[in-house]
Amino acid sequence: MVKKLSISETKVRLSKEFFMGENGLIALNFWRNSVYFYYNSVKTKILQNLGKSMVLTFAKCIEMFGSKYLIKKAIAEGRLFRIAKGFYSESELVSEVSLISAKYPGAVFTMNTAFYHYGLTDSVPEKYYLATERGAKISDKCVALKFENSDILFLGAVQENLNGATVTMYNRERMLLELIRNKSSMPFDYYKEIILSYRKIIDNLDMQLVQDYLPQMPKSDMIRKALEVEVL
């Protein structure tokens, strides 16, 4: 079992000196090579799980039924339901979250959606916040996209149950880094509310994961300093 770092140990490990020197650089390069394979493994599993969704694309329906004519026949017979343009389901009732996940395959729920899901804020998000690679287009007013670097898109991604649907979402440790990283674009009161929530659950977080994620994040030096001052 991997030992969780104490707060004092985390402060030391987060310092610049930990990553300096020949041994530090060798360790960091080894770590980066290791997580490269881990990220690809996570991405593969996530994309495979998309095929098990209740929501079916038109291409998937063609594969299942054989032709556009047979799709229309299945709809007429009540064996298939059209829930949105280009999306279908074998169930008449499909959650909005399931549909959003199908429309944005490979995206990760983040920011306000994740903060609320983890009970870090009482503010109900007006939109679903998704992190995705550049190039994705918004077709829903209820969705806010956050473009992310492809090499860290699945960093800290886990499977969570959101309103009855299994979705891909960043864990609490990744969201702590996202909170600090996006501080300047957030309302001050909202930011402070979530920071205070993190302080209350700091002993329940896996600080080893925070330490592992940090070197890969943009603005890592700023995030490290903020962690030491505002959270630890």
Side-chain angles (χ1 to χ4, degrees):
M1 182 175 181
V2 179
K3 174 188 174 184
K4 288 188 177 182
L5 295 179
S6 66
I7 293 177
S8 59
E9 288 174 324
T10 301
K11 287 183 177 180
V12 174
R13 296 293 292 277
L14 288 175
S15 65
K16 287 182 179 179
E17 287 76 11
F18 177 72
F19 296 108
M20 293 178 67
E22 183 177 354
N23 291 335
L25 289 175
I26 292 175
L28 182 58
N29 287 331
F30 175 79
W31 178 84
R32 284 174 172 167
N33 289 334
S34 298
V35 295
Y36 172 79
F37 293 105
Y38 171 75
Y39 297 156
N40 283 337
S41 175
V42 170
K43 182 176 181 179
T44 299
K45 290 180 180 179
I46 289 172
L47 294 178
Q48 287 175 342
N49 287 336
L50 290 174
K52 303 176 183 179
S53 173
M54 292 175 58
V55 180
L56 307 171
T57 62
F58 179 73
K60 185 65 177 179
C61 288
I62 289 291
E63 180 183 326
M64 291 175 60
F65 295 96
S67 68
K68 188 174 182 180
Y69 167 78
L70 291 176
I71 291 175
K72 290 183 177 180
K73 183 178 180 181
I75 293 175
E77 294 174 350
R79 294 184 291 114
L80 186 68
F81 300 88
R82 183 178 183 274
I83 58 175
K85 184 177 180 181
F87 294 92
Y88 305 81
S89 176
E90 294 177 298
S91 301
E92 186 173 6
L93 299 177
V94 174
S95 70
E96 185 178 38
V97 174
S98 295
L99 179 58
I100 292 298
S101 294
K103 285 186 175 182
Y104 299 92
V108 184
F109 283 83
T110 185
M111 297 306 294
N112 302 35
T113 302
F115 292 138
Y116 182 74
H117 173 75
Y118 289 125
L120 298 165
T121 176
D122 294 327
S123 300
V124 180
E126 297 180 354
K127 296 184 177 183
Y128 294 102
Y129 286 75
L130 298 175
T132 185
E133 292 184 352
R134 299 186 183 280
K137 297 180 180 179
I138 299 176
S139 60
D140 296 88
K141 293 182 179 180
C142 64
V143 173
L145 291 183
K146 178 179 180 292
F147 296 118
E148 185 56 273
N149 298 334
S150 59
D151 58 337
I152 62 169
L153 178 59
F154 293 104
L155 179 67
V158 294
Q159 298 295 299
E160 288 285 330
N161 186 298
L162 181 62
N163 298 338
T166 300
V167 303
T168 303
M169 180 182 294
Y170 291 132
N171 59 24
R172 295 183 303 176
E173 288 77 11
R174 168 70 187 263
M175 288 311 305
L176 173 57
L177 302 181
E178 287 298 322
L179 173 66
I180 297 174
R181 176 187 177 190
N182 293 278
K183 176 180 180 179
S184 61
S185 62
M186 302 169 67
F188 178 75
D189 291 341
Y190 184 67
Y191 174 81
K192 293 302 294 184
E193 176 192 8
I194 301 174
I195 277 290
L196 290 175
S197 294
Y198 266 113
R199 289 178 185 172
K200 294 177 182 178
I201 65 169
I202 189 67
D203 291 334
N204 296 322
L205 295 179
D206 189 336
M207 296 308 295
Q208 179 66 53
L209 286 180
V210 174
Q211 175 198 312
D212 289 346
Y213 297 162
L214 184 56
Q216 295 295 318
M217 299 292 293
K219 306 179 183 179
S220 59
D221 190 56
M222 180 275 289
I223 295 174
R224 176 185 59 80
K225 292 178 181 177
L227 277 172
E228 294 175 352
V229 174
E230 300 189 53
V231 182
L232 300 178

